[in-house]
Amino acid sequence: MVKKICVIGAGSSGLTAIKCCLDEDLEPTCFESSDDIGGLWRFKETPEDDRASIYKSVIINTSKEMMCFSDYPIPDEFPNYMHNSKIMEYFRMYAKNFNLLKYIRLKTSVCSVRRHPDFATTGQWDVVTECDGKKESHIFDGILICSGHHTFPHLPLHSFPGIEKFKGQYFHSRDYKNPQAFQDKRVIVIGIGNSGGDLAVEISSVAKQVYLSTRRGAWVVNRVCDEGFPLDVVLYSRYRLLLKQFMTTEMLNNWAEKKMNARFNHENYGIKPKHRISSQHPTINDDLPNRIIAGKVLMKCNVKEFTETDAIFEDGTVEKNIDAVFFATGYSFSFPFFDDPALKVVNNKIPLYKMVFPPVLEKTTVACIGLIQPIGAIMPLSELQARWATRVFKGLCKLPSKDDMLADIAIKKRELECRYVESPRHTIQVDFLEYLDELASQICVKPNVLRFLFTDPKLAWELFFGPCTPYQYRLTGDGKWPGARKAILSQRDRIIKPTKTRVLDDDMTKHKSPISFLLKILSIFAILSAIYFVYI
Ligand code: FAD
Ligand code: NAP
């Protein structure tokens, strides 16, 4: 009998979850509470309750080749870092191409999910939905929760005494849409995550003065990396992953921090944190140092207290006549519709096996998709999670015993606690490439570079030295996509095409040097010995 799967949410995670159900011959029904697909990436002029909200100018900070779904490359001409409208265009193309829309019931909220009375034997769930005020009950064989984790604002007003007396306006960053209302105003932005950085930069283009307040500072990374390539394209290759294994965390931190400080000295710019770069989710911002050097953004420490008009900082300085305060203080997540102790979230913490499966159920028929904070794009990770979950639901993949899953969860939790500074934003962190490989190994689709070296050396070269793009997980095994090889070999062209819009004469630009040939030969030796160390 075909299993019926409930997909909650039609954002990027929900869309790929529907596709994965179809690939496994499962029967998905996706409930989306809003009137459209795209989740967070669909811009709306006013924030809506219970749905993520973005500002008009948001440009994604993960690049197109690294964020695409693994069997559907983003068109050549799309920019590497896309505006939210372009991202929506891609999601709509994906949904249309794989005919996903007919499985989505828009304007339908999932109100509750409970274990069916026969859950212990069937693993089924009772789901109640609501559309136009009408409630409907359903029974499903499996649930894929794709409801996002950037919906509910974390607004720590209790940490800011006096805010109740403050006569200016204050908001959470999710309420910010554009800078117009802040023309000639004096504005404080609290928090130096990616929202805080983006808001400070944008508001400072019109405001009289912006103060960016941080309780511990941050290392600020550029989107545009070596030779102008996107940051994630440069960082995430198997070659670099291998090098990483031969370096200590101290060495990696020293290397990265030196690079960050070469761009602008973090101490001189008042941003330097006490912790090392690997201990915090990165803040990506190309413009912040420009705004600081122009005096439009001034860095400040934590706010100790607000008065009716002023902000008093922990270093004793006072900024007077503040008009507006933005709390760019992040998000909390929960599943208000899920009435089950297995999905209980406490302080942004939830024990899930490899961030996907609750380990304590008699039947594993529920999975969380996209409940991760990767240092990189979330979309290909959600996709691999959904590929794995649907195979578990179908009985094609087996999970370890409850005790083994709990032991794995405990190890991961300890690793997170040792690595990251304590903060509610660091409870679901994953490393992009390592986590992709970990998920891929569950469904046996991690590419074997050594084997390709003998069967397809050109591909092996790009797999090892090139950016580790999601197509790598469609080369072999179940879910193999015939276009994967071509997509990998043409990825560099798709990266360069949207920037090289003024093409120069070939003869003038291509310098063929004997040194580059020598370097290639040397690299072949490097690849062979590297692969030897990793795989043999
Ligand atoms: P969402 O996009 O939030 O979608 C969840 C969907 O579920 C929504 O449509 C919602 O309406 C629906 N829903 C929720 N509850 C219910 C219910 N009970 N019933 C029915 N429907 C429901 N990630 C990156 O990879 N790269 C980036 O550069 C990046 N930039 C970001 C910028 C900002 C400002 C923010 C806030 C986040 C950013 N993220 C980024 C993270 C972002 O969360 C993901 O990119 C992505 O949107 C997650 O998709 P999702 O489908 O998991 O969740
Ligand atoms: P975030 O990453 O959770 O950052 C929250 C910030 O607020 C941190 O600096 C945190 O400091 C600070 N903070 C939290 N509680 C505080 C308190 N009580 N007092 C003082 N400071 C406090 O949230 P975000 O910046 O909104 O980002 C959310 C997600 O959206 C991330 O995935 C991010 O990458 C993404 N995003 C992407 C873009 C983009 O692509 N352009 C733009 C915006 C956001 P600590 O570190 O000390 O906890």
Side-chain angles (χ1 to χ4, degrees):
M1 199 177 67
V2 179
K3 288 193 170 176
K4 289 169 68 184
I5 307 298
C6 166
V7 177
I8 305 175
S12 54
S13 301
L15 291 176
T16 194
I18 301 170
K19 158 124 189 337
C20 293
C21 287
L22 296 173
D23 288 348
E24 294 297 344
D25 293 325
L26 299 167
E27 195 183 294
T29 305
C30 174
F31 300 106
E32 167 52 53
S33 54
S34 72
D35 59 359
D36 202 353
I37 64 166
L40 176 136
W41 292 103
R42 192 167 51 88
F43 172 76
K44 283 260 177 145
E45 292 292 343
T46 45
E48 296 168 337
D49 285 346
D50 300 334
R51 212 189 124 231
S53 164
I54 51 170
Y55 32 101
K56 190 158 193 172
S57 63
V58 176
I59 289 178
I60 200 161
N61 59 29
T62 47
S63 76
K64 68 170 183 175
E65 288 301 311
M66 308 302 285
M67 66 156 273
C68 64
F69 295 117
S70 60
D71 51 3
Y72 197 68
I74 294 174
D76 304 22
E77 66 280 6
F78 278 33
N80 284 286
Y81 290 114
M82 296 187 280
H83 181 256
N84 55 78
S85 54
K86 223 59 192 162
I87 295 170
M88 276 305 297
E89 215 177 309
Y90 172 65
F91 290 158
R92 289 195 199 288
M93 288 163 67
Y94 180 77
K96 189 164 172 231
N97 186 67
F98 294 109
N99 208 4
L100 307 180
L101 294 177
K102 67 176 181 188
Y103 301 96
I104 302 172
R105 289 175 56 178
L106 295 173
K107 296 198 222 161
T108 309
S109 299
V110 172
C111 311
S112 77
V113 182
R114 288 197 180 92
R115 293 183 205 198
H116 187 69
D118 296 336
F119 180 82
T121 45
T122 62
Q124 288 181 323
W125 297 91
D126 289 330
V127 175
V128 177
T129 57
E130 184 181 331
C131 178
D132 284 336
K134 250 180 62 196
K135 294 217 166 165
E136 203 180 330
S137 300
H138 320 253
I139 297 174
F140 283 100
D141 301 306
I143 311 276
L144 292 169
I145 305 175
C146 308
S147 51
H149 61 90
H150 290 124
T151 303
F152 308 114
H154 168 60
L155 197 54
L157 296 183
H158 56 277
S159 306
F160 296 92
I163 190 73
E164 68 289 348
K165 291 186 281 197
F166 179 61
K167 287 203 165 143
Q169 295 174 291
Y170 67 86
F171 316 83
H172 186 266
S173 57
R174 84 183 291 275
D175 299 321
Y176 175 77
K177 291 291 165 184
N178 63 56
Q180 281 152 21
F182 306 99
Q183 182 97 31
D184 298 325
K185 304 280 189 219
R186 290 165 59 77
V187 179
I188 296 180
V189 177
I190 295 176
I192 193 173
N194 286 305
S195 297
D198 274 6
L199 261 63
V201 164
E202 184 164 281
I203 296 172
S204 74
S205 65
V206 299
K208 189 169 192 178
Q209 186 65 60
V210 171
Y211 301 95
L212 178 54
S213 159
T214 166
R215 61 180 172 186
R216 66 170 120 237
W219 292 98
V220 180
V221 192
N222 245 17
R223 271 190 180 87
V224 182
C225 196
D226 299 352
E227 294 181 37
F229 281 100
L231 175 70
D232 47 7
V233 160
V234 174
L235 286 189
Y236 297 133
S237 69
R238 296 195 176 280
Y239 169 62
R240 277 193 185 244
L241 187 65
L242 179 77
L243 287 184
K244 214 171 136 184
Q245 286 169 24
F246 295 109
M247 292 170 81
T248 60
T249 311
E250 172 78 10
M251 285 156 81
L252 284 167
N253 280 330
N254 287 344
W255 169 81
E257 288 168 15
K258 197 168 167 220
K259 233 174 141 62
M260 301 303 96
N261 276 331
R263 180 172 159 239
F264 71 95
N265 182 307
H266 280 55
E267 191 172 346
N268 293 348
Y269 275 59
I271 294 186
K272 188 170 181 233
K274 284 205 181 96
H275 56 262
R276 307 304 303 267
I277 192 165
S278 62
S279 303
Q280 188 186 42
H281 186 71
T283 296
I284 301 180
N285 201 304
D286 295 44
D287 300 322
L288 188 56
N290 298 340
R291 306 309 293 167
I292 295 175
I293 204 166
K296 296 301 290 179
V297 173
L298 296 179
M299 291 306 303
K300 299 294 286 186
C301 61
N302 207 24
V303 176
K304 191 172 99 192
E305 188 184 345
F306 285 98
T307 67
E308 285 187 357
T309 50
D310 307 343
I312 304 165
F313 293 84
E314 282 177 352
D315 59 2
T317 56
V318 181
E319 296 302 341
K320 293 188 174 297
N321 302 321
I322 299 300
D323 297 296
V325 178
F326 275 100
F327 289 93
T329 41
Y331 294 86
S332 308
F333 61 83
S334 62
F335 310 110
F337 48 84
F338 219 106
D339 201 359
D340 198 292
L343 269 298
K344 194 165 159 47
V345 183
V346 180
N347 297 332
N348 270 11
K349 289 183 187 154
I350 178 169
L352 293 176
Y353 179 58
K354 300 208 184 292
M355 307 293 204
V356 179
F357 295 107
V360 291
L361 290 166
E362 299 98 317
K363 300 265 175 192
T364 311
T365 50
V366 60
C368 295
I369 307 299
L371 188 62
I372 38 173
Q373 181 61 70
I375 305 183
I378 205 169
M379 298 79 187
L381 296 169
S382 290
E383 185 189 29
L384 266 177
Q385 289 180 328
R387 283 175 74 185
W388 181 28
T390 47
R391 292 182 71 74
V392 169
F393 289 177
K394 230 187 146 186
L396 297 171
C397 282
K398 258 191 109 55
L399 293 177
S401 68
K402 178 180 152 189
D403 284 349
D404 287 350
M405 287 198 272
L406 286 170
D408 187 78
I409 292 169
I411 292 171
K412 294 274 158 57
K413 182 168 173 272
R414 259 198 313 278
E415 283 172 3
L416 274 189
E417 285 165 358
C418 286
R419 170 168 165 186
Y420 286 100
V421 293
E422 200 190 331
S423 169
R425 68 198 288 233
H426 289 149
T427 54
I428 51 172
Q429 289 291 126
V430 293
D431 284 315
F432 181 72
L433 189 39
E434 289 88 334
Y435 187 61
L436 275 173
D437 276 350
E438 194 177 351
L439 292 171
S441 300
Q442 310 301 318
I443 52 170
C444 307
V445 297
K446 186 180 161 194
N448 182 334
V449 182
L450 186 58
R451 215 182 60 210
F452 280 115
L453 187 65
F454 295 110
T455 57
D456 191 345
K458 190 175 172 192
L459 180 64
W461 180 280
E462 190 61 16
L463 287 179
F464 190 69
F465 287 113
C468 183
T469 45
Y471 326 114
Q472 291 208 3
Y473 303 100
R474 290 280 182 188
L475 285 166
T476 51
D478 288 311
K480 182 176 166 178
W481 173 49
R485 180 180 187 275
K486 189 170 168 227
I488 291 167
L489 294 178
S490 54
Q491 61 198 13
R492 290 175 196 252
D493 298 335
R494 280 192 304 282
I495 293 169
I496 291 169
K497 186 166 177 188
T499 49
K500 201 173 170 185
T501 45
R502 186 176 73 89
V503 182
L504 301 187
D505 178 3
D506 253 13
D507 293 342
M508 284 168 63
T509 54
K510 286 194 180 138
H511 314 283
K512 293 210 165 84
S513 99
I515 295 180
S516 79
F517 177 71
L518 254 176
L519 277 176
K520 277 195 175 150
I521 297 290
L522 279 175
S523 301
I524 289 173
F525 281 111
I527 191 176
L528 281 172
S529 40
I531 289 171
Y532 177 82
F533 278 120
V534 171
Y535 297 99
I536 298 180

